[in-house]
Amino acid sequence: MSNTDQTPTPATITIRPNGPLLVQGDVKVINSAGEEIDRGGRVAFCRCGLSKTKPFCDASHKAAGFTAE
Ligand code: FES
């Protein structure tokens, strides 16, 4: 995600309460094969370890009742 003047949008990482790490801004996700995965400037990384689509959150944390300090 970029501004129209091509100035990069700073990335932010938000720790969601009892949920994923939400990354928003100009970031690239590169898989283990070196391929870029397009997540549209917003990606949630699993923090609970239960996702079936790691490293991404698939909302499994909700059903599992994941809690974090
Ligand atoms: S944080 Fe959402 S599935 Fe793990």
Side-chain angles (χ1 to χ4, degrees):
M1 177 178 358
S2 297
N3 299 330
T4 55
D5 64 0
Q6 301 300 310
T7 302
T9 304
T12 60
I13 302 173
T14 305
I15 302 170
R16 301 290 302 154
N18 303 320
L21 300 175
L22 181 60
V23 182
Q24 297 174 294
D26 285 330
V27 295
K28 289 183 179 179
V29 179
I30 309 294
N31 69 14
S32 59
E35 302 161 335
E36 184 172 341
I37 302 170
D38 183 5
R39 302 296 285 198
R42 178 182 166 99
V43 60
F45 289 104
C46 177
R47 186 161 63 119
C48 72
L50 300 171
S51 174
K52 293 174 181 56
T53 60
K54 292 183 188 86
F56 306 111
C57 172
D58 68 356
S60 292
H61 62 272
K62 292 179 184 176
F66 172 71
T67 58
E69 294 181 26

